[in-house]
Amino acid sequence: TKAIGKCKTGKSKMLLTTLYNNIGSIYSLKGNYEKSTEQYERALGSAERYGSELAMETLYNNLSIALNKLNLPSRSLFYLEKAEKLALENNNYYTLADVYNNKGSAYAELKNAAQSASFFNDAILISKKNGYQNTLYSALVNMGIHYLNEGKTKEAIAKFEEADGIDATINSYYRNLKILASGAAYLKNGDLDKAQSLLAQSLEQALALGNLRDLVTTHNLLAELYRAKGDFPKAFEHKSTELLLFDSLKKKETAYTVAEMEARYDAAMKDKELAKKQLTISRQSSALVRKNQWIAGIVIGFGLIVVLIFIQGRSLRRKQKIKNEQLKLLEQQQKNVEMKFI
């Protein structure tokens, strides 16, 4: 945050994009996707204003992750489409694999299981082909969760075990997500001791990260586990904690949703006001054109009248001249006749 204040001139302004993006990533790891979204949006704004050392597809992709976690999959897909287009244009297969992974998550939120699984598979294939270990890990975990939601616990556990075999430094969020999902799979499979060990690890990791969503899910699963074991006091303890944390989570999400709706309403009102102004300007322009046409018509009409008067006057003068000449001729002829009589 201190570094942001120093990025005021020249090329240093380009660093703002990276700084905002990095702060957004920190908030994501902590599960604070409201703050994460704010920072990623600032990163995009900074990139458009000052440029960016980071690829635009990366920025769109990062923002999409936070939006999907806020249960805004349609908005997430909007940015993922942009990210996919740019990644393909730039042959950025590393980001493309992650984009497909995140598209799978967005479609999972939209309850489109077939589309979700298809994108997870695409992410797995690209990651395996190019050796993208972190993306492969997260895509395997997501595919495992897909199988878990479909009631296929054996297939889910197989994916989690495959992810375990990856030798790489894994993002702490996905590492804990795999532990949590594995605990849920073993719980559904009836292996309570294995589930208890994994969920205890998940609880510790979620507390360390301050990840409220993972804490809610872990307490929910632990309550279910202890109920299955017949330890009702512990089941009640975890259920009570889950409800307390869930209430806090919903308040945060509601506050963000209200702010989001207010922002959209303000934007819509601004668009409406702009449209009204444009309509007024258009009407004024049309009125001005009509006025100018009337003025032009009057000027042209007046000009025609003047021309007609001039032509008529000239014609009258010519006729008068001819008449005068005829009178003179008659007078001359009369004089000649008089002279003959004399």
Side-chain angles (χ1 to χ4, degrees):
T1 307
K2 289 180 181 178
I4 290 173
K6 295 182 179 181
C7 298
K8 294 179 179 178
T9 58
K11 289 186 177 180
S12 68
K13 284 192 173 183
M14 285 184 68
L15 291 173
L16 282 171
T17 303
T18 304
L19 290 169
Y20 285 133
N21 181 76
N22 291 347
I23 294 169
S25 297
I26 292 168
Y27 279 122
S28 280
L29 287 175
K30 291 184 175 183
N32 190 339
Y33 298 109
E34 296 85 0
K35 289 286 186 182
S36 178
T37 297
E38 286 178 15
Q39 296 302 319
Y40 286 141
E41 286 176 339
R42 285 180 181 177
L44 274 175
S46 174
E48 290 166 0
R49 202 171 297 115
Y50 308 119
S52 171
E53 293 178 346
L54 296 170
M56 287 300 292
E57 55 263 38
T58 300
L59 299 176
Y60 287 133
N61 185 50
N62 289 346
L63 176 57
S64 76
I65 297 170
L67 290 169
N68 198 49
K69 294 296 179 183
L70 289 170
N71 299 317
L72 296 167
S74 295
R75 274 196 68 196
S76 175
L77 283 168
F78 171 77
Y79 288 107
L80 284 168
E81 293 296 335
K82 288 175 174 281
E84 181 183 4
K85 183 175 181 292
L86 288 172
L88 286 168
E89 286 176 0
N90 298 325
N91 294 321
N92 186 348
Y93 295 107
Y94 178 80
T95 299
L96 184 64
D98 205 36
V99 166
Y100 287 151
N101 190 28
N102 295 324
K103 272 193 157 188
S105 297
Y107 279 110
E109 284 291 324
L110 292 169
K111 310 302 180 188
N112 189 333
Q115 194 82 311
S116 175
S118 175
F119 279 114
F120 288 145
N121 270 323
D122 288 343
I124 289 168
L125 289 172
I126 295 173
S127 298
K128 282 183 175 179
K129 182 179 178 181
N130 295 282
Y132 304 144
Q133 298 292 74
N134 274 276
T135 306
L136 176 59
Y137 185 97
S138 61
L140 287 168
V141 170
N142 284 334
M143 182 57 87
I145 293 170
H146 165 77
Y147 282 132
L148 191 59
N149 291 333
E150 294 288 299
K152 300 175 181 178
T153 53
K154 288 183 180 179
E155 289 87 343
I157 290 169
K159 290 298 177 187
F160 298 144
E161 288 177 347
E162 188 179 348
D164 266 335
I166 293 173
D167 183 21
T169 303
I170 304 301
N171 175 299
S172 57
Y173 167 78
Y174 271 105
R175 187 171 61 246
N176 191 49
L177 182 61
K178 193 272 302 177
I179 294 169
L180 175 57
S182 296
Y186 283 110
L187 177 60
K188 282 191 176 183
N189 220 29
D191 192 341
L192 301 184
D193 291 334
K194 181 73 173 175
Q196 185 175 344
S197 173
L198 287 164
L199 292 173
Q201 290 178 53
S202 174
L203 188 60
E204 184 181 344
Q205 289 291 321
L207 282 167
L209 291 168
N211 192 323
L212 192 56
R213 285 170 180 79
D214 283 0
L215 283 170
V216 169
T217 305
T218 306
H219 280 294
N220 173 271
L221 292 169
L222 282 168
E224 188 179 332
L225 182 142
Y226 283 114
R227 188 167 57 250
K229 280 191 165 189
D231 191 341
F232 297 109
K234 280 192 176 179
F236 177 77
E237 179 187 334
H238 284 290
K239 193 65 181 175
S240 298
T241 306
E242 177 211 341
L243 293 173
L244 185 66
L245 292 173
F246 182 76
D247 184 58
S248 176
L249 179 62
K250 279 300 168 188
K251 282 179 181 176
K252 285 178 70 177
E253 287 182 346
T254 301
Y256 180 81
T257 304
V258 169
E260 178 79 7
M261 289 174 69
E262 286 176 347
R264 289 186 185 183
Y265 175 78
D266 289 342
M269 291 304 291
K270 285 178 182 177
D271 290 343
K272 186 178 178 181
E273 189 63 30
L274 181 62
K276 283 175 70 178
K277 286 180 180 178
Q278 288 175 337
L279 181 62
T280 302
I281 291 168
S282 177
R283 285 174 175 170
Q284 288 174 344
S285 297
S286 297
L288 184 61
V289 168
R290 286 196 297 272
K291 183 180 177 182
N292 289 338
Q293 287 173 342
W294 275 105
I295 292 170
I298 291 167
V299 169
I300 291 168
F302 181 75
L304 287 172
I305 291 169
V306 170
V307 170
L308 287 171
I309 291 171
F310 174 77
I311 292 170
Q312 192 175 11
R314 189 176 176 183
S315 177
L316 286 171
R317 285 195 298 275
R318 188 175 293 168
K319 285 179 180 179
Q320 187 64 42
K321 185 179 178 182
I322 292 168
K323 189 177 179 180
N324 290 337
E325 287 176 352
Q326 287 175 341
L327 285 171
K328 283 181 181 180
L329 183 61
L330 286 171
E331 286 176 357
Q332 186 65 41
Q333 289 174 347
Q334 184 66 34
K335 284 180 181 180
N336 291 338
V337 169
E338 289 175 355
M339 287 179 70
K340 283 180 181 181
F341 282 117
I342 294 173

